[in-house]
Amino acid sequence: SITINAVVYTVASVRGDGKQITLTATAGVQTNVAYTATLALTARTGAFLDGYFIAARPDSKQFNISDLYEGLVWDPLEFGVKEGYPDNIASILADHEELWIFGDESTEVWRNTGNADFPFERDMSAFIHQGCVAWASPGRLNNGVAWLGGSQSGRITAWRAQGFMPVRISTHAVEQAWRSYSEVSDAIGFVYKLDGHEFWQLTFPAANATWEYDALTNLWHEKDSRDGAVYGRHRARCHGFTFGKHLVGDFDSGRIYEMSPTLYDDAASPIRRLRQAPHLSDEQLNHFFHRLQLDMETGSGVADPEMSLEWSDDGGHTWSTPITITAGALNDYKKRVIWRRLGKSRDRVFRVSSTAAIPHTWINALIDVTKGTS
């Protein structure tokens, strides 16, 4: 509908070039009327490929393209439809001259073939029976595409495409944690590269949690920020590398921060580092723990940084009171970080943590233990 002088008209026809319209109303037909109108194109995700701006409508199978190199001009007849499976478009992403169209339960790949009627056509050999469960999760990772997905068979799984073959990169433990969340469709993802590693950071706002995947080591870790005395989701909601810096946007304050391994606090709040060991158990016999040594870099940052050790003897349900020691003076590069006389247990889990403002290089942990007979 278009309103002219307080009269609401309906578009009856549009000329082929889109510059002339015919309107109808109860007052009669008006042709070639000068008009101004704002026709909104509703979209949830977008991309740019081969000079075209591309927008995907929410709760629809349709995606629209703009005029070539003209993001303000959209012909309503220039659209494509996800057609390989009867699910709606969840998200779109442009990567390696290809347009990835993620549905709720399946994924299609389209290419610019230069077709005169509509430039993008579906690659019939690139169909994936895994969809996207969180529209803001897809990202370009390690020369491929990663997303949080699922299908008719089940969800939630993190996938990375190897060619057009989805490869599962989430672990059973990580997926179990995600299943405990009340909502996962709100997950927000971005990718960044740092010190030779490529990371995919996923934040779950409703669950107040952030996870990060290292594509080099294929390992996951949790990432958090401190708000008062409470730890929750990481501050960074979005990321951009510019001016030679990794810049991230704070979801809470709207501020922009630099993210760097040489910055040892989180917007003036301490950063908690925590590493937990696997269970130490053998035939449910008592084990006597004489000492635990943390092999780490010492002598840098601040003097006498505090390192804490605690343990659980009941499978991680409860934890001991932390034992805190210091990692030595500045320039004391030979300092050894050792906890002694750690008691006995049939099933022990250790974990080390620190909020010290130092470069945290934890290489290994060494345990001196004697196996009992009962």
Side-chain angles (χ1 to χ4, degrees), residues 37 63 90 116 124 136 181 236 261 264 269 272-273 291 340:
F63 65 95
M124 304 300 289
Y181 297 163
Y264 305 130
S269 294
R272 176 181 61 171
R273 277 84 172 183
R291 69 184 191 116
R340 304 179 188 275

Side-chain angles (χ1 to χ4, degrees), residues 149-171:
S151 67
Q152 282 186 324
S153 303
R155 47 190 66 194
I156 314 149
T157 305
W159 300 97
R160 178 161 60 92
Q162 194 171 73
F164 299 125
M165 181 68 67
V167 177
R168 175 174 170 265
I169 58 175
S170 52
T171 66

Side-chain angles (χ1 to χ4, degrees), residues 177-225:
W178 292 345
R179 283 197 303 272
S180 69
Y181 297 163
S182 62
E183 183 65 63
V184 295
S185 63
D186 61 348
I188 304 165
F190 64 79
V191 175
Y192 69 96
K193 298 179 181 180
L194 190 65
D195 292 341
H197 294 254
E198 194 163 0
F199 298 99
W200 179 34
Q201 181 167 317
L202 277 175
T203 293
F204 298 84
N208 197 27
T210 298
W211 290 80
E212 195 163 81
Y213 173 71
D214 184 343
L216 180 65
T217 63
N218 296 319
L219 295 176
W220 289 86
H221 62 270
E222 291 183 81
K223 194 172 183 178
D224 56 30
S225 291

